[in-house]
Amino acid sequence: MPSLDDYKGKTPAWCPGCGNFSILKVFKEAMVELGLEPHQFLIVSGIGQAGKFPHYLKCHTFNGLHGRSLPVATGFRLANNKMPVIVVSGDGDCYGEGGNHLLHGIRRNLNIKYFVHDNQIYGLTKGQGSPTTMEGMPTKNLPFGVISNPLNPLAFAIALNCTFVARGFAGDQEQLRFIIKEAMNHNGFALVDILQPCVSFNKVNTYEWYKERVYHLDNTYDCRNRVLAFEKALEWGDRIPTGILFRCSRPVFEEKIPFISQTPLKDQPFEIEKVNKTLKEFFV
Amino acid sequence: MQGNTAIAESAIQAGCRFYAGYPITPQNEIPEYLSWRMPQVKGVFIQAESEIAAVNMVYGASACGVRAMTSSSSPGISLMQEGISFLATAELPSVIVNVQRGGPGLGNISASQADYFQAVKGGGHGDYKCIVYAPYSVQEMWDITQLAFDTADRYRTPVIILADAILGQMTEPLLKNKSKPLNQVKDWSFGRKRKSGDKPVVIKTLHTKEGELEALNYKLFQKYETIKSKETLFEQYLVDDAQLVAVSFGISARISKSAVNILRKQNYKVGLIRPITLFPFPSEIIHETASLGKRLISIELNMGQMFEDIQISSQGKTEVYFYGRPGGGVFTPSEIADVLKRYL
């Protein structure tokens, strides 16, 4: 059985008090509880403070291009669909630079778990507005306030019939651990938007701000009802629901490619004889 | 003024009224400055969702006849290459600032000159060129930005300002020179007022009719020939009696100049040629200098990119050496002085 020590990585260079610390802690705990060892899965990340996440753990790591984690993860899964693939990204990386890839990733429904550290700001470049920054909020690049509507990632994902859609909060470790484990056990694409206060550059969406607003979806909530889920996804303001908003089952992309559903591409033999036989047919 | 802000304010003074960009270090001060400065002059600032979007927003604004600019740093500029190829083909004026950082890949945020090939030799697909300026001081960041908008409009072509992390971040005194803005009616643009029955404007880069694309390419290269004959800029420093001449651009030229000064005090005969335009490259002066038997050494913050253009220009008339450091490593004047001494 793995232990938390197995996951010990480099000391994080995040600001003291950053919401990423609790996500990191909870993630490790979830992996230990799931009995997963660091060599058994891959984390793909892009650019941003969240992009550093796998460096602060011990696991297989693919730190790729800004916004392109999902295409990398897609290529990886199609070449090796026996290894679980997790993508860790931020709101800028996932919803801005990588927005187009998210759309098509959800459509394909590969078995990829996408955890988005959503702090509603660009942290790495020090305080510019991100796709989820609230309208009207002054930022470094929009000193008179953001003039675009923020993206609602959960409504977006539910509209696309994403097979697992959840929202967690870095300040609610118990629920976040539950969501991460559920996402890992889900067969298909999972989008988990994690509200994560940025203590340095977002002075509006603070721990207090979130704590006053977040509430758990209770046991009576039916996460298989897509219309209800969409309604819940639109709830943002005085009250913000957290938990699993939506789940459904759709065939997984990898299973639709018959020859990799049994043996991963990486283990397929290179049968030169077969090619030769076909080639010879052309020389008759 | 800081180098990055000098570019931003100079763009405003040059009449730039549209800026689109995406955050990346070490050029963030350009968008940050323009985010509040643009509204003051009734210009538009927009933070794009990606560099790909930013360069295409410039593509659209430029087609309306507005002076438009974007800026980024190396990895972001890579993303813009598709758009730059289209801007060059559609002959739309635009200014693209690259505050270079260490590469390849995500690299680091230290100074580098490793995007020389990308800027000068194309970067995107197809036969095209961008005018490429290499400032070496905050003053030149200002002056060249003024010039860049003029040449972009004059030749209807994208212009690249190739700076780097040090130039972008350093602060120096500055004279706010103002170029005379070109008073040009952009007849070709969507911006011109039209009557009904006027020919509509078509911006396109697809030319499938036989010979059409070939003709366009010849036209572009005729334009590039004019640019070569009229826009080449360089500085010569203590070259007349020099036995060894450093050829260097941007921040490495700044460092090399200090090295030349150190050695001159010790009576070594060294000089410097500093290309200010990288395209058009000052081939003639390099060739002349080589023909006089002076030996040349290329000094760059990369593994030898401009070096190749110096070799081509000198056509075997003299020996050409190279010294450089990649990956964000930066040399000091005394380090360069030692290198020069080795080749004297």
Side-chain angles (χ1 to χ4, degrees):
Chain A
M1 280 298 282
S3 73
L4 284 174
D5 279 348
D6 296 335
Y7 279 97
K8 206 169 157 27
K10 282 185 201 163
T11 308
W14 293 320
C15 308
C18 176
N20 283 339
F21 284 102
S22 49
I23 303 176
L24 183 67
K25 174 175 173 280
V26 167
F27 181 87
K28 288 181 193 171
E29 290 166 0
M31 294 303 119
V32 170
E33 285 174 29
L34 287 166
L36 275 170
E37 295 193 33
H39 70 278
Q40 289 178 314
F41 63 93
L42 168 77
I43 294 186
V44 183
S45 72
I47 309 304
Q49 293 295 357
K52 300 175 181 173
F53 188 87
H55 299 299
Y56 303 151
L57 279 168
K58 203 172 77 187
C59 63
H60 290 310
T61 298
F62 194 124
N63 186 195
L65 283 70
H66 192 27
R68 318 292 164 212
S69 304
L70 217 36
V72 169
T74 302
F76 187 96
R77 276 293 299 177
L78 293 176
N80 184 9
N81 58 332
K82 292 292 176 241
M83 184 177 273
V85 174
I86 295 163
V87 176
V88 177
S89 189
D91 37 322
D93 194 53
C94 174
Y95 304 139
E97 193 89 42
N100 184 34
H101 304 307
L102 177 64
L103 193 163
H104 298 286
I106 293 174
R107 279 180 56 231
R108 291 192 185 102
N109 196 35
L110 278 119
N111 208 333
I112 291 171
K113 320 300 166 199
Y114 208 152
F115 299 118
V116 185
H117 299 203
D118 185 355
N119 55 10
Q120 302 183 255
I121 203 82
Y122 283 98
L124 188 70
T125 49
K126 302 183 177 66
Q128 298 84 5
S130 85
T132 53
T133 304
M134 294 199 300
E135 199 169 343
M137 183 173 136
T139 63
K140 223 176 214 171
N141 268 8
L142 293 153
F144 313 112
V146 170
I147 53 174
S148 307
N149 235 321
L151 178 85
N152 182 330
L154 303 189
F156 170 82
I158 293 164
L160 288 167
N161 212 14
C162 179
T163 55
F164 184 101
V165 183
R167 177 188 284 129
F169 169 45
D172 185 343
Q173 300 192 6
E174 199 183 320
Q175 187 198 37
L176 183 58
R177 190 163 50 242
F178 167 75
I179 294 172
I180 291 175
K181 280 158 62 183
E182 284 295 300
M184 291 302 293
N185 286 327
H186 171 73
N187 185 35
F189 191 93
L191 178 71
V192 181
D193 187 76
I194 306 167
L195 303 175
Q196 171 241 324
C198 172
V199 293
S200 294
F201 301 110
N202 189 337
K203 303 294 184 194
V204 175
N205 310 104
T206 57
Y207 278 102
E208 291 69 33
W209 190 92
Y210 288 118
K211 273 188 178 152
E212 282 165 14
R213 288 166 175 80
V214 291
Y215 73 95
H216 285 201
L217 291 166
D218 62 25
N219 294 335
T220 61
Y221 175 77
D222 176 14
C223 67
R224 301 219 165 244
N225 183 334
R226 193 166 166 209
V227 175
L228 181 67
F230 194 78
E231 209 177 296
K232 275 288 161 204
L234 296 182
E235 201 177 317
W236 178 274
D238 291 344
R239 279 166 64 75
I240 301 170
T242 59
I244 299 164
L245 271 82
F246 181 61
R247 62 195 308 175
C248 67
S249 21
R250 278 199 283 134
V252 176
F253 192 86
E254 299 92 309
E255 289 164 11
K256 292 182 187 171
I257 301 172
F259 57 88
I260 63 165
S261 58
Q262 296 304 319
T263 314
L265 196 60
K266 71 170 184 73
D267 296 331
Q268 304 256 351
F270 182 66
E271 291 164 328
I272 190 78
E273 306 78 36
K274 277 188 186 171
V275 182
N276 282 342
K277 201 179 148 224
T278 314
L279 266 178
K280 273 176 195 155
E281 287 172 16
F282 286 93
F283 296 111
V284 179
Chain B
M1 223 170 185
Q2 193 207 38
N4 281 338
T5 39
I7 284 183
E9 179 58 26
S10 181
I12 295 281
Q13 298 297 330
C16 172
R17 290 298 176 267
F18 183 91
Y19 175 91
Y22 185 86
I24 185 169
T25 312
Q27 62 83 55
N28 285 322
E29 292 80 6
I30 298 175
E32 276 165 24
Y33 185 90
L34 289 173
S35 68
W36 59 266
R37 188 71 176 103
M38 271 297 183
Q40 289 181 347
V41 293
K42 295 182 180 160
V44 171
F45 166 90
I46 181 163
Q47 185 182 301
E49 64 272 28
S50 70
E51 291 84 350
I52 301 171
V55 74
N56 281 286
M57 287 172 184
V58 167
Y59 195 13
S62 172
C64 295
V66 175
R67 282 194 159 181
M69 177 170 98
T70 184
S71 64
S72 190
S73 179
S74 310
I77 297 290
S78 291
L79 283 167
M80 292 184 184
Q81 292 307 322
E82 177 191 54
I84 296 173
S85 162
F86 279 60
L87 280 162
T89 322
E91 297 188 87
L92 292 177
S94 44
V95 173
I96 298 133
V97 182
N98 180 0
V99 184
Q100 295 171 95
R101 54 190 257 177
L106 191 59
N108 58 28
I109 57 171
S110 183
S112 171
Q113 297 180 319
D115 302 347
Y116 177 93
F117 279 152
Q118 188 193 50
V120 173
K121 309 284 177 186
H125 61 281
D127 255 340
Y128 76 93
K129 293 280 179 191
C130 294
I131 298 175
V132 183
Y133 290 110
Y136 94 135
S137 64
V138 172
Q139 183 67 56
E140 268 193 3
M141 299 280 256
W142 176 280
D143 295 342
I144 277 174
T145 305
Q146 301 273 313
L147 187 60
F149 280 99
D150 284 350
T151 44
D153 271 353
R154 186 175 296 124
Y155 299 102
R156 287 182 57 186
T157 192
V159 173
I160 294 173
I161 299 176
L162 199 61
D164 65 76
I166 296 178
L167 287 168
Q169 296 295 321
M170 74 183 187
T171 300
E172 287 188 303
L174 163 74
L175 281 173
K176 292 184 177 175
N177 304 327
K178 258 178 106 169
S179 73
K180 240 194 245 154
L182 283 183
N183 205 3
Q184 207 179 45
V185 182
K186 296 182 178 177
D187 269 347
W188 47 267
S189 80
F190 290 112
R192 209 198 82 194
K193 282 203 176 67
R194 283 182 168 75
K195 303 186 297 292
S196 77
D198 276 2
K199 221 177 127 194
V201 177
V202 178
I203 303 280
K204 63 164 191 171
T205 64
L206 178 70
H207 302 275
T208 50
K209 243 192 270 167
E210 203 186 326
E212 195 183 317
L213 183 60
E214 191 178 357
L216 172 74
N217 271 282
Y218 287 136
K219 185 185 156 207
L220 288 179
F221 271 77
Q222 232 167 23
K223 177 164 85 179
Y224 300 149
E225 284 307 317
T226 316
I227 291 170
K228 275 187 196 170
S229 65
K230 291 194 173 162
E231 302 299 334
T232 308
L233 294 175
F234 60 89
E235 182 198 347
Q236 289 191 90
Y237 185 67
L238 306 174
V239 172
D240 283 351
D241 65 338
Q243 293 161 344
L244 178 68
V245 177
V247 185
S248 195
F249 70 98
I251 193 64
S252 27
R254 189 73 177 268
I255 299 164
S256 300
K257 205 176 212 177
S258 300
V260 167
N261 288 337
I262 292 171
L263 292 178
R264 280 283 171 175
K265 275 189 197 142
Q266 300 166 20
N267 296 319
Y268 290 106
K269 292 191 167 159
V270 289
L272 171 75
I273 294 176
R274 176 172 75 91
I276 299 171
T277 50
L278 301 180
F279 178 83
F281 188 70
S283 303
E284 277 177 34
I285 190 67
I286 300 288
H287 188 250
E288 274 171 33
T289 312
S291 302
L292 292 170
K294 299 177 193 295
R295 284 169 302 135
L296 303 173
I297 177 166
S298 177
I299 292 167
E300 306 169 64
L301 291 177
N302 57 48
M303 287 309 281
Q305 299 191 11
M306 183 174 71
F307 177 51
E308 293 187 5
D309 283 335
I310 299 167
Q311 283 180 315
I312 293 167
S313 305
S314 58
Q315 292 177 340
K317 301 275 183 196
T318 188
E319 280 175 70
V320 184
Y321 315 111
F322 168 75
Y323 183 75
R325 283 178 61 174
V330 179
F331 32 63
T332 59
S334 54
E335 185 179 342
I336 297 302
D338 287 344
V339 171
L340 295 179
K341 248 194 252 176
R342 232 186 288 150
Y343 288 104
L344 263 165

